[in-house]
Every structure is written in C-alpha cells, then in structure tokens.
Amino acid sequence: MPKNLLVTGGAGFIGSNFVRLVLATDPQVRIINLDKLTYAGSMANLQNLPDESRHNFVHGDICDRELVRSLFQQHLIDSVAHFAAESHVDRSIADPESFIRTNVMGTFTLLEAAREAWLKNKSVSLEQARFHHVSTDEVFGSLSPTDPAFSETTPYSPRSPYSASKASSDHLVRAYHHTYGLPVTLSNCSNNYGPYQFPEKLIPLIILNALNGKPLPVYGDGQQIRDWLYVEDHCSAIWQVLTRGANGETYNIGGGNQPPNLEIVHTLCDILDELHPASPYRPHRSLITFVADRPGHDRRYDMDIRKIDHDLGWRPQENLASGLLKTVRWYLDNAAWIESIRQGSDLTGWMEKNYANREKKA
Ligand code: NAD
Ligand code: TYD
C-alpha cells in the first residue's frame, strides 16, 4: 500500500475527489499534492478534507524539475497518482502549446524524477514503488455507430491536440516501464461528471447556464456519444489499480452510459424543472441552442471494461440517472463554491471566447 503518495493535479476536478477518497479510505497514507493552480485548479476544491493532517499541499509546476526531484527526496515518495494536465479539448484547439508543455513535458519530468529516486538512488524498494498515470479514452480516436468498444489493445488514433498530448504521455510512461523497468500502471477513462467539475465542461455548464436562464449550447447535432462515469467511481477504480493493479498493465475505465449529448442536456433540464418548480426559465429545454460544431469533433466513445472487472473486481456503482441527480443537487447546494470558482478563474473570459463566434446553426 502507498505510504507517501504524490498526487499531481490534486486541486482539479478528479484529483480533488481522489484526494478525498484516499484520505477517507486509507488511514496510513500521507498525500503530497502538487498542483500549479491553473484556471482549472482551486483550493476551494480541497475544503473540509477527511483528514487535513495527512494532506500536504505544494503549489508548483510538474515541469519544474528541481521541485519535483526535491519532493521525491524530501517525502520519500513511493507512489504517484498523476492527474495534472491541461484537460479541455476546446482549449486545446484554441491554444495547444500549454497542452504539450504540461501533458508531455510535465509527464516526462515526473518520470525522470521517479527514475532517479527509485531506480538510481533506490530511495524506496521497487516492490513498494508505483507510478500510476491517469489517461483518457480520447487517445483511441472516434468510433462509428457499429464499431466495437475500445479495449486496452485498440490502436491509438488521437484527433485533437488534447488527445494527442495525452497519447504522447501514455507512450512515455510505457517506454519508461519497458526501457528502464519503472513500475507503472495506466488507466484510460471515459468522460467524468460530478462534484467540483469546472463549469466549462458540458454537464456543469448546462446546469449553471440553465439556472441563470442562459442559452444551453449544444455543438453540431448533439448526437455525439460519450461514455459517462460518475467521478467517485473513477476515483475508486484508480485506487484499485494503484494498489492492486499489475505492474506495467493498462486498465480501461468506463461507465457503460452512452446516451447522445442532447439526451444528457434534456435529462438535466428535466431534473432542474422538477427541483426548481418556481424557476422563471421552465421548461429549461426551451433554452437549448444548437451552435457550430467543435472542429474535428469525435463522434462516439465507448469503453470495454471487462479487464478491470475481471482482474480487479471493479465496476461502476452509480447509474446515470442517480449520478446526474446527485450532481445537479450538488451544484444547487454549493453556490459559494460556484462563486469562488467564477471569481478565481478566467471562466467568464473563456465563455466569451469560446461561444461568441459560434454562429447559430440555421
Ligand atoms: P482538471 O482540468 O479539472 O484539473 C487539472 C489539474 O491539474 C488542475 O488542478 C490544474 O491546476 C493542475 N495542473 C495543470 N497544469 C499543471 C502543471 N503544469 N503542474 C501542476 N499542476 C497542473 O482536470 P480533470 O478533469 O480533473 O482531469 C484530471 C486527469 O484525468 C487529466 O489527466 C485528464 O486527462 C484525465 N481524464 C479526465 C477526464 C474527464 O472527463 N475530466 C476523463 C478521463 C481522463
Ligand atoms: P466536454 O465536457 O468538453 O468533454 P470532452 O470534450 O472531453 O468530451 O464535452 C462533452 C461533449 O459535449 C462533447 O461531445 C462536446 C459537447 N459539448 C457541447 O455540445 N456543448 C458545449 O458547450 C460543450 C462544452 C461540450
């Protein structure tokens, strides 16, 4: 089991949920949480942790070689859960450079530090050491309606700067395992949703815009398909892989939920109609606005999760109906969090930049 766990990107959406889960699950582990606090990271995501005394936050960049090396030394890091990344496809289209820097160079920097600490300096035993890399289903590209789901052996075919940078980092992690013998695991996961998701991503964006009577932007025809997974299920899967996964192996993680985007938006509108009967914007579906599609928009993702189910006994606990209801309730109950995210990030500027020039479809 991990003793001194370096979590990168632990102030972001999935990383902060993971920090919460680990502190609540394992009373022995100590977390060193390295996060640059970009627009997507916030200390507001780390309020009221289950045990603050075992959580050490370090404000810094995974590309900072000296900092990363010193953390491995100072804290005798034996395990890494690597979440830190630029994560939004639309931003990668507008500004790819930061994706290459953080996702590729940042992962390289962490791998080098782990190699030095574990293989050269032998700071911890190799049986104890594990580098877990968190990746995405987007590295596999896009499926047609009849294609089988992505498996762990599906060839990579990334199609956006985001997915290309993640694919690149996955290859580096595997290369460090095969070339140097670094103990690693990888997981590729589908779209997450749930508490603490930055409100530029589809589900929180729709909830917040609907609450404020703003248009609900649906790209293209809204028939693109994602395999939605509740974030706590993703975090429990990562914990299983980190603690029980086989060295060098990759595990696909997914939710088995594949409705088209438009159906997700309809469901959110219906939940809000019910939870907010006095809203002046009912029916919230009337706010739906079809806008110009994302360039190169992947049509369909679907994850085959038989390996993680068979090998580690993991499968999602939340279904889409219960997960979306919980998520809407969380955003309704957390107005102070929304306000602090709005004030502490470039959300307003991004919304103007991303949506201003999306011509309305005829
Ligand atoms: P996020 O954008 O919400 O959080 C990313 C975090 O990384 C932020 O806290 C940010 O401050 C930090 N960060 C960014 N650049 C950094 C740097 N150079 N140094 C240190 N910290 C830095 O992302 P997320 O949605 O929580 O995703 C986490 C990971 O999971 C990513 O690797 C992503 O590719 C992967 N993933 C996400 C999803 C999803 O649906 N969100 C699905 C599958 C995989
Ligand atoms: P997003 O949450 O950005 O995640 P990803 O691009 O990683 O899948 O988008 C999820 C889906 O929703 C994707 O098919 C794009 C679509 N989408 C919209 O239709 N409108 C929007 O305003 C956004 C942000 C996304």
Side-chain angles (χ1 to χ4, degrees), residues 238-250:
I238 292 171
W239 182 245
Q240 290 303 319
V241 175
L242 181 69
T243 54
R244 296 173 52 232
N247 187 9
E249 290 294 313
T250 296

Side-chain angles (χ1 to χ4, degrees), residues 87-90 138 191 200-203 205 217-219 224 226 228 261 294 297-298 301 355:
S87 71
H88 191 191
V89 176
D90 290 320
E138 304 197 22
N191 282 62
E200 67 183 358
K201 301 277 175 89
L202 181 71
I203 288 178
L205 173 84
V218 173
Y219 293 169
Q224 304 82 8
R226 300 293 182 262
W228 296 96
N261 291 341
R294 168 187 284 173
H297 198 171
D298 287 344
Y301 305 141
Y355 295 97

Side-chain angles (χ1 to χ4, degrees), residues 163-185:
S163 53
S165 67
K166 291 295 291 187
S168 190
S169 63
D170 294 10
H171 289 318
L172 279 172
V173 175
R174 290 197 185 97
Y176 271 63
H177 175 69
H178 291 292
T179 307
Y180 303 114
L182 197 75
V184 307
T185 43

Side-chain angles (χ1 to χ4, degrees), residues 118-331:
W118 297 342
L119 301 176
K120 187 167 154 230
N121 298 339
K122 305 199 186 313
S123 60
V124 297
S125 82
L126 269 193
E127 285 71 47
Q128 175 69 14
R130 182 56 61 87
F131 187 111
H132 180 71
H133 178 60
V134 179
S135 192
T136 165
D137 58 358
E138 304 197 22
V139 297
F140 298 120
S142 181
L143 294 169
S144 77
T146 52
D147 283 337
F150 300 129
S151 78
E152 285 81 359
T153 54
T154 300
Y156 276 27
S157 178
R159 293 153 38 108
S160 72
Y162 165 65
S163 53
S165 67
K166 291 295 291 187
S168 190
S169 63
D170 294 10
H171 289 318
L172 279 172
V173 175
R174 290 197 185 97
Y176 271 63
H177 175 69
H178 291 292
T179 307
Y180 303 114
L182 197 75
V184 307
T185 43
L186 296 92
S187 54
N188 293 85
C189 185
S190 56
N191 282 62
N192 285 213
Y193 67 97
Y196 302 102
Q197 187 165 29
F198 189 79
E200 67 183 358
K201 301 277 175 89
L202 181 71
I203 288 178
L205 173 84
I206 295 298
I207 298 170
L208 298 198
N209 277 15
L211 284 173
N212 293 303
K214 292 187 180 160
L216 310 181
V218 173
Y219 293 169
D221 62 3
Q223 294 307 308
Q224 304 82 8
I225 290 180
R226 300 293 182 262
D227 182 357
W228 296 96
L229 179 69
Y230 192 66
V231 63
E232 289 173 9
D233 276 328
H234 186 190
C235 293
S236 73
I238 292 171
W239 182 245
Q240 290 303 319
V241 175
L242 181 69
T243 54
R244 296 173 52 232
N247 187 9
E249 290 294 313
T250 296
Y251 299 86
N252 275 2
I253 304 171
N257 298 299
Q258 290 121 12
N261 291 341
L262 188 58
E263 199 177 314
I264 297 280
V265 175
H266 282 160
T267 306
L268 292 171
C269 289
D270 297 349
I271 294 173
L272 282 168
D273 285 354
E274 210 172 306
L275 295 182
H276 240 281
S279 163
Y281 309 117
R282 284 180 84 222
H284 291 92
R285 286 186 187 207
S286 64
L287 298 169
I288 292 172
T289 310
F290 289 91
V291 301
D293 209 349
R294 168 187 284 173
H297 198 171
D298 287 344
R299 198 68 185 164
R300 173 175 163 249
Y301 305 141
D302 183 6
M303 289 300 258
D304 178 342
I305 59 165
R306 280 176 294 179
K307 178 175 172 178
I308 190 169
D309 186 358
H310 176 268
D311 291 5
L312 304 177
W314 177 91
R315 63 184 67 163
Q317 297 302 305
E318 205 71 57
N319 65 47
L320 192 59
S322 63
L324 286 177
L325 183 61
K326 266 167 109 163
T327 303
V328 174
R329 285 218 169 98
W330 189 86
Y331 280 89

Side-chain angles (χ1 to χ4, degrees), residues 198 333 351:
F198 189 79
D333 291 345
M351 298 299 278

